[in-house]
Amino acid sequence: MPKCKYCHKNISKFDKEICPYCGGVEPLDGVASETCDITQVIDTCNDEDIEIKFTQHSKKVNTILLMFLGVFGADSFYLGFKKEGFIRVIINFVIYGLLFCLFFFLNKYSLFNLIMSLVMPLLILFVVYFIFGFISIFKKNIKDSNGVFLK
């Protein structure tokens, strides 16, 4: 598109008498209105203007986090899903509390049963997330919060 010789804004070739932006008379005087060099129309950017805002996450690290720290939602936090991670922590805390109550009230009251009531729910949740981590090894298309596939 041709540019106005006064304000240097892009105007159509039909605006030969008056520029619609600055009101300049005959803005195309001495400028060929048929063509324009494409580099005058498109603004280019330098390498300094491009900023990488995220890094690509590893599938191996995500799997290890899911296997060993999945109870705490570490894999979700690693991928950038903070809301999902907090929800998983809360749900796991509730499940742990329910399992603790189940084990505690079904057994006789002793120190050993109290310790087992504390450890068994955590062990059950650990095994469940270890299985989820093992399954995630075979998943192919896992994305992080930026929509980038894991490498």
Side-chain angles (χ1 to χ4, degrees), residues 55 57 61-62 65-66 69-90 92 143-146:
T55 58
H57 295 100
V61 172
N62 184 52
L65 286 174
L66 182 58
L69 296 173
V71 175
F72 305 109
D75 59 310
S76 295
F77 291 118
Y78 173 70
L79 294 180
F81 299 112
K82 294 177 183 175
K83 187 176 180 182
E84 179 184 320
F86 283 122
I87 291 171
R88 278 186 34 204
V89 168
I90 291 169
N92 288 332
K143 292 182 180 181
D144 62 2
S145 63
N146 297 318

mmCIF file of all heavy atoms in Angstrom, residues 55 57 61-62 65-66 69-90 92 143-146:
data_model
loop_
_atom_site.group_PDB
_atom_site.id
_atom_site.type_symbol
_atom_site.label_atom_id
_atom_site.label_comp_id
_atom_site.label_asym_id
_atom_site.label_seq_id
_atom_site.Cartn_x
_atom_site.Cartn_y
_atom_site.Cartn_z
ATOM 1 N N THR A 55 9.730 -23.005 29.170
ATOM 2 C CA THR A 55 10.677 -24.035 28.771
ATOM 3 C C THR A 55 9.906 -25.332 28.548
ATOM 4 O O THR A 55 8.831 -25.528 29.104
ATOM 5 C CB THR A 55 11.735 -24.263 29.858
ATOM 6 O OG1 THR A 55 11.082 -24.615 31.068
ATOM 7 C CG2 THR A 55 12.576 -23.026 30.083
ATOM 8 N N HIS A 57 9.066 -29.043 29.113
ATOM 9 C CA HIS A 57 9.189 -29.932 30.254
ATOM 10 C C HIS A 57 9.504 -31.357 29.795
ATOM 11 O O HIS A 57 9.184 -31.755 28.683
ATOM 12 C CB HIS A 57 7.905 -29.918 31.078
ATOM 13 C CG HIS A 57 7.639 -28.597 31.712
ATOM 14 N ND1 HIS A 57 6.756 -27.689 31.197
ATOM 15 C CD2 HIS A 57 8.172 -28.026 32.813
ATOM 16 C CE1 HIS A 57 6.741 -26.625 31.959
ATOM 17 N NE2 HIS A 57 7.590 -26.795 32.947
ATOM 18 N N VAL A 61 10.815 -36.558 33.966
ATOM 19 C CA VAL A 61 10.686 -35.858 35.245
ATOM 20 C C VAL A 61 9.232 -35.864 35.700
ATOM 21 O O VAL A 61 8.934 -36.099 36.882
ATOM 22 C CB VAL A 61 11.223 -34.412 35.128
ATOM 23 C CG1 VAL A 61 10.924 -33.619 36.383
ATOM 24 C CG2 VAL A 61 12.703 -34.413 34.837
ATOM 25 N N ASN A 62 8.311 -35.645 34.763
ATOM 26 C CA ASN A 62 6.893 -35.647 35.104
ATOM 27 C C ASN A 62 6.456 -37.022 35.621
ATOM 28 O O ASN A 62 5.709 -37.123 36.590
ATOM 29 C CB ASN A 62 6.055 -35.243 33.892
ATOM 30 C CG ASN A 62 4.598 -35.128 34.219
ATOM 31 O OD1 ASN A 62 4.201 -34.448 35.152
ATOM 32 N ND2 ASN A 62 3.774 -35.834 33.451
ATOM 33 N N LEU A 65 7.872 -37.565 39.148
ATOM 34 C CA LEU A 65 7.109 -36.777 40.112
ATOM 35 C C LEU A 65 5.744 -37.400 40.384
ATOM 36 O O LEU A 65 5.276 -37.402 41.523
ATOM 37 C CB LEU A 65 6.947 -35.339 39.609
ATOM 38 C CG LEU A 65 8.186 -34.463 39.674
ATOM 39 C CD1 LEU A 65 7.917 -33.128 39.006
ATOM 40 C CD2 LEU A 65 8.631 -34.261 41.103
ATOM 41 N N LEU A 66 5.110 -37.917 39.333
ATOM 42 C CA LEU A 66 3.797 -38.558 39.513
ATOM 43 C C LEU A 66 3.922 -39.834 40.328
ATOM 44 O O LEU A 66 3.093 -40.110 41.191
ATOM 45 C CB LEU A 66 3.162 -38.848 38.156
ATOM 46 C CG LEU A 66 1.773 -39.477 38.157
ATOM 47 C CD1 LEU A 66 0.784 -38.609 38.906
ATOM 48 C CD2 LEU A 66 1.298 -39.710 36.744
ATOM 49 N N LEU A 69 5.712 -38.360 44.103
ATOM 50 C CA LEU A 69 5.119 -37.212 44.786
ATOM 51 C C LEU A 69 3.744 -36.848 44.240
ATOM 52 O O LEU A 69 3.281 -35.727 44.406
ATOM 53 C CB LEU A 69 6.051 -35.996 44.678
ATOM 54 C CG LEU A 69 7.414 -36.147 45.363
ATOM 55 C CD1 LEU A 69 8.297 -34.963 45.046
ATOM 56 C CD2 LEU A 69 7.247 -36.309 46.852
ATOM 57 N N GLY A 70 3.104 -37.804 43.570
ATOM 58 C CA GLY A 70 1.777 -37.554 43.005
ATOM 59 C C GLY A 70 0.730 -37.271 44.056
ATOM 60 O O GLY A 70 -0.249 -36.569 43.806
ATOM 61 N N VAL A 71 0.931 -37.784 45.256
ATOM 62 C CA VAL A 71 -0.002 -37.543 46.359
ATOM 63 C C VAL A 71 -0.082 -36.051 46.660
ATOM 64 O O VAL A 71 -1.137 -35.526 47.002
ATOM 65 C CB VAL A 71 0.452 -38.328 47.611
ATOM 66 C CG1 VAL A 71 -0.408 -38.006 48.797
ATOM 67 C CG2 VAL A 71 0.441 -39.810 47.325
ATOM 68 N N PHE A 72 1.031 -35.353 46.482
ATOM 69 C CA PHE A 72 1.094 -33.916 46.765
ATOM 70 C C PHE A 72 0.877 -33.067 45.517
ATOM 71 O O PHE A 72 1.023 -31.848 45.577
ATOM 72 C CB PHE A 72 2.434 -33.576 47.407
ATOM 73 C CG PHE A 72 2.714 -34.391 48.633
ATOM 74 C CD1 PHE A 72 3.688 -35.375 48.626
ATOM 75 C CD2 PHE A 72 1.973 -34.215 49.790
ATOM 76 C CE1 PHE A 72 3.937 -36.138 49.745
ATOM 77 C CE2 PHE A 72 2.207 -34.972 50.918
ATOM 78 C CZ PHE A 72 3.186 -35.945 50.898
ATOM 79 N N GLY A 73 0.564 -33.678 44.379
ATOM 80 C CA GLY A 73 0.285 -32.950 43.143
ATOM 81 C C GLY A 73 1.505 -32.329 42.505
ATOM 82 O O GLY A 73 1.384 -31.372 41.738
ATOM 83 N N ALA A 74 2.698 -32.855 42.799
ATOM 84 C CA ALA A 74 3.938 -32.263 42.304
ATOM 85 C C ALA A 74 4.010 -32.263 40.781
ATOM 86 O O ALA A 74 4.549 -31.325 40.185
ATOM 87 C CB ALA A 74 5.139 -32.992 42.887
ATOM 88 N N ASP A 75 3.479 -33.292 40.142
ATOM 89 C CA ASP A 75 3.516 -33.346 38.679
ATOM 90 C C ASP A 75 2.639 -32.263 38.061
ATOM 91 O O ASP A 75 2.994 -31.670 37.046
ATOM 92 C CB ASP A 75 3.107 -34.722 38.175
ATOM 93 C CG ASP A 75 1.714 -35.111 38.608
ATOM 94 O OD1 ASP A 75 1.422 -35.002 39.820
ATOM 95 O OD2 ASP A 75 0.911 -35.517 37.750
ATOM 96 N N SER A 76 1.519 -31.962 38.672
ATOM 97 C CA SER A 76 0.649 -30.898 38.156
ATOM 98 C C SER A 76 1.305 -29.535 38.314
ATOM 99 O O SER A 76 1.237 -28.692 37.421
ATOM 100 C CB SER A 76 -0.690 -30.901 38.886
ATOM 101 O OG SER A 76 -1.384 -32.086 38.609
ATOM 102 N N PHE A 77 1.947 -29.326 39.459
ATOM 103 C CA PHE A 77 2.655 -28.055 39.660
ATOM 104 C C PHE A 77 3.826 -27.930 38.689
ATOM 105 O O PHE A 77 4.111 -26.847 38.195
ATOM 106 C CB PHE A 77 3.144 -27.936 41.103
ATOM 107 C CG PHE A 77 2.036 -27.757 42.107
ATOM 108 C CD1 PHE A 77 1.826 -28.699 43.092
ATOM 109 C CD2 PHE A 77 1.210 -26.649 42.063
ATOM 110 C CE1 PHE A 77 0.808 -28.543 44.017
ATOM 111 C CE2 PHE A 77 0.197 -26.481 42.967
ATOM 112 C CZ PHE A 77 -0.010 -27.426 43.956
ATOM 113 N N TYR A 78 4.510 -29.037 38.404
ATOM 114 C CA TYR A 78 5.633 -29.036 37.470
ATOM 115 C C TYR A 78 5.186 -28.623 36.066
ATOM 116 O O TYR A 78 5.882 -27.882 35.379
ATOM 117 C CB TYR A 78 6.284 -30.422 37.446
ATOM 118 C CG TYR A 78 7.352 -30.591 36.399
ATOM 119 C CD1 TYR A 78 8.568 -29.935 36.498
ATOM 120 C CD2 TYR A 78 7.152 -31.431 35.306
ATOM 121 C CE1 TYR A 78 9.552 -30.096 35.541
ATOM 122 C CE2 TYR A 78 8.120 -31.611 34.348
ATOM 123 C CZ TYR A 78 9.323 -30.936 34.470
ATOM 124 O OH TYR A 78 10.292 -31.096 33.514
ATOM 125 N N LEU A 79 4.022 -29.104 35.648
ATOM 126 C CA LEU A 79 3.523 -28.784 34.308
ATOM 127 C C LEU A 79 2.823 -27.428 34.258
ATOM 128 O O LEU A 79 2.452 -26.978 33.183
ATOM 129 C CB LEU A 79 2.568 -29.876 33.818
ATOM 130 C CG LEU A 79 3.198 -31.245 33.585
ATOM 131 C CD1 LEU A 79 2.142 -32.224 33.110
ATOM 132 C CD2 LEU A 79 4.332 -31.150 32.590
ATOM 133 N N GLY A 80 2.630 -26.789 35.386
ATOM 134 C CA GLY A 80 2.025 -25.459 35.404
ATOM 135 C C GLY A 80 0.547 -25.443 35.697
ATOM 136 O O GLY A 80 -0.086 -24.392 35.618
ATOM 137 N N PHE A 81 -0.037 -26.587 36.029
ATOM 138 C CA PHE A 81 -1.453 -26.660 36.361
ATOM 139 C C PHE A 81 -1.614 -26.475 37.869
ATOM 140 O O PHE A 81 -1.823 -27.431 38.607
ATOM 141 C CB PHE A 81 -2.054 -27.997 35.915
ATOM 142 C CG PHE A 81 -1.978 -28.243 34.442
ATOM 143 C CD1 PHE A 81 -1.169 -29.230 33.926
ATOM 144 C CD2 PHE A 81 -2.731 -27.476 33.568
ATOM 145 C CE1 PHE A 81 -1.105 -29.464 32.568
ATOM 146 C CE2 PHE A 81 -2.668 -27.706 32.207
ATOM 147 C CZ PHE A 81 -1.854 -28.699 31.701
ATOM 148 N N LYS A 82 -1.509 -25.235 38.338
ATOM 149 C CA LYS A 82 -1.525 -24.964 39.774
ATOM 150 C C LYS A 82 -2.887 -25.253 40.396
ATOM 151 O O LYS A 82 -2.971 -25.816 41.479
ATOM 152 C CB LYS A 82 -1.122 -23.520 40.028
ATOM 153 C CG LYS A 82 0.304 -23.249 39.652
ATOM 154 C CD LYS A 82 0.664 -21.803 39.846
ATOM 155 C CE LYS A 82 2.092 -21.575 39.384
ATOM 156 N NZ LYS A 82 2.468 -20.188 39.425
ATOM 157 N N LYS A 83 -3.938 -24.866 39.700
ATOM 158 C CA LYS A 83 -5.285 -25.086 40.238
ATOM 159 C C LYS A 83 -5.563 -26.587 40.388
ATOM 160 O O LYS A 83 -6.078 -27.032 41.417
ATOM 161 C CB LYS A 83 -6.307 -24.427 39.317
ATOM 162 C CG LYS A 83 -7.705 -24.428 39.817
ATOM 163 C CD LYS A 83 -8.606 -23.657 38.862
ATOM 164 C CE LYS A 83 -10.030 -23.638 39.317
ATOM 165 N NZ LYS A 83 -10.897 -22.926 38.368
ATOM 166 N N GLU A 84 -5.208 -27.360 39.372
ATOM 167 C CA GLU A 84 -5.386 -28.813 39.426
ATOM 168 C C GLU A 84 -4.543 -29.421 40.545
ATOM 169 O O GLU A 84 -4.975 -30.335 41.244
ATOM 170 C CB GLU A 84 -4.996 -29.435 38.091
ATOM 171 C CG GLU A 84 -5.110 -30.940 38.041
ATOM 172 C CD GLU A 84 -4.625 -31.507 36.724
ATOM 173 O OE1 GLU A 84 -4.905 -30.907 35.680
ATOM 174 O OE2 GLU A 84 -3.961 -32.565 36.768
ATOM 175 N N GLY A 85 -3.334 -28.912 40.741
ATOM 176 C CA GLY A 85 -2.477 -29.408 41.808
ATOM 177 C C GLY A 85 -3.077 -29.161 43.182
ATOM 178 O O GLY A 85 -3.066 -30.047 44.044
ATOM 179 N N PHE A 86 -3.605 -27.956 43.414
ATOM 180 C CA PHE A 86 -4.232 -27.660 44.703
ATOM 181 C C PHE A 86 -5.481 -28.525 44.926
ATOM 182 O O PHE A 86 -5.709 -29.005 46.043
ATOM 183 C CB PHE A 86 -4.606 -26.178 44.804
ATOM 184 C CG PHE A 86 -3.432 -25.292 45.077
ATOM 185 C CD1 PHE A 86 -3.108 -24.271 44.198
ATOM 186 C CD2 PHE A 86 -2.653 -25.459 46.203
ATOM 187 C CE1 PHE A 86 -2.034 -23.439 44.438
ATOM 188 C CE2 PHE A 86 -1.574 -24.641 46.461
ATOM 189 C CZ PHE A 86 -1.258 -23.628 45.578
ATOM 190 N N ILE A 87 -6.251 -28.728 43.881
ATOM 191 C CA ILE A 87 -7.449 -29.568 44.006
ATOM 192 C C ILE A 87 -7.052 -31.003 44.350
ATOM 193 O O ILE A 87 -7.674 -31.642 45.200
ATOM 194 C CB ILE A 87 -8.295 -29.500 42.715
ATOM 195 C CG1 ILE A 87 -8.930 -28.111 42.575
ATOM 196 C CG2 ILE A 87 -9.360 -30.579 42.694
ATOM 197 C CD1 ILE A 87 -9.603 -27.870 41.254
ATOM 198 N N ARG A 88 -5.999 -31.522 43.709
ATOM 199 C CA ARG A 88 -5.548 -32.880 44.019
ATOM 200 C C ARG A 88 -5.030 -32.999 45.439
ATOM 201 O O ARG A 88 -5.250 -34.005 46.112
ATOM 202 C CB ARG A 88 -4.466 -33.314 43.028
ATOM 203 C CG ARG A 88 -5.076 -33.817 41.749
ATOM 204 C CD ARG A 88 -4.143 -34.401 40.755
ATOM 205 N NE ARG A 88 -3.022 -35.117 41.285
ATOM 206 C CZ ARG A 88 -1.898 -35.283 40.604
ATOM 207 N NH1 ARG A 88 -1.760 -34.771 39.410
ATOM 208 N NH2 ARG A 88 -0.907 -35.945 41.123
ATOM 209 N N VAL A 89 -4.335 -31.975 45.932
ATOM 210 C CA VAL A 89 -3.846 -32.006 47.313
ATOM 211 C C VAL A 89 -5.024 -32.057 48.282
ATOM 212 O O VAL A 89 -5.027 -32.845 49.239
ATOM 213 C CB VAL A 89 -2.947 -30.786 47.599
ATOM 214 C CG1 VAL A 89 -2.677 -30.639 49.085
ATOM 215 C CG2 VAL A 89 -1.642 -30.899 46.834
ATOM 216 N N ILE A 90 -6.038 -31.254 48.027
ATOM 217 C CA ILE A 90 -7.211 -31.229 48.907
ATOM 218 C C ILE A 90 -7.952 -32.566 48.853
ATOM 219 O O ILE A 90 -8.327 -33.126 49.891
ATOM 220 C CB ILE A 90 -8.132 -30.050 48.533
ATOM 221 C CG1 ILE A 90 -7.454 -28.738 48.891
ATOM 222 C CG2 ILE A 90 -9.476 -30.160 49.239
ATOM 223 C CD1 ILE A 90 -8.144 -27.513 48.341
ATOM 224 N N ASN A 92 -6.747 -35.527 48.012
ATOM 225 C CA ASN A 92 -5.931 -36.558 48.662
ATOM 226 C C ASN A 92 -5.946 -36.405 50.175
ATOM 227 O O ASN A 92 -5.918 -37.403 50.899
ATOM 228 C CB ASN A 92 -4.496 -36.523 48.133
ATOM 229 C CG ASN A 92 -4.407 -37.038 46.719
ATOM 230 O OD1 ASN A 92 -5.199 -37.859 46.294
ATOM 231 N ND2 ASN A 92 -3.431 -36.548 45.977
ATOM 232 N N LYS A 143 0.573 -32.747 27.404
ATOM 233 C CA LYS A 143 0.913 -31.334 27.213
ATOM 234 C C LYS A 143 1.036 -30.638 28.560
ATOM 235 O O LYS A 143 0.407 -31.039 29.546
ATOM 236 C CB LYS A 143 -0.161 -30.621 26.401
ATOM 237 C CG LYS A 143 -0.255 -31.063 24.963
ATOM 238 C CD LYS A 143 -1.308 -30.258 24.237
ATOM 239 C CE LYS A 143 -1.433 -30.657 22.787
ATOM 240 N NZ LYS A 143 -2.441 -29.859 22.094
ATOM 241 N N ASP A 144 1.826 -29.575 28.579
ATOM 242 C CA ASP A 144 1.913 -28.758 29.785
ATOM 243 C C ASP A 144 0.901 -27.619 29.693
ATOM 244 O O ASP A 144 0.074 -27.579 28.793
ATOM 245 C CB ASP A 144 3.327 -28.239 30.002
ATOM 246 C CG ASP A 144 3.822 -27.332 28.890
ATOM 247 O OD1 ASP A 144 3.071 -27.063 27.943
ATOM 248 O OD2 ASP A 144 4.989 -26.893 28.965
ATOM 249 N N SER A 145 0.961 -26.679 30.632
ATOM 250 C CA SER A 145 -0.032 -25.612 30.667
ATOM 251 C C SER A 145 0.099 -24.639 29.500
ATOM 252 O O SER A 145 -0.829 -23.898 29.201
ATOM 253 C CB SER A 145 0.069 -24.843 31.985
ATOM 254 O OG SER A 145 1.333 -24.212 32.081
ATOM 255 N N ASN A 146 1.239 -24.636 28.819
ATOM 256 C CA ASN A 146 1.423 -23.780 27.650
ATOM 257 C C ASN A 146 0.977 -24.451 26.359
ATOM 258 O O ASN A 146 1.062 -23.850 25.298
ATOM 259 C CB ASN A 146 2.900 -23.370 27.523
ATOM 260 C CG ASN A 146 3.361 -22.551 28.683
ATOM 261 O OD1 ASN A 146 2.652 -21.666 29.149
ATOM 262 N ND2 ASN A 146 4.544 -22.852 29.193
#
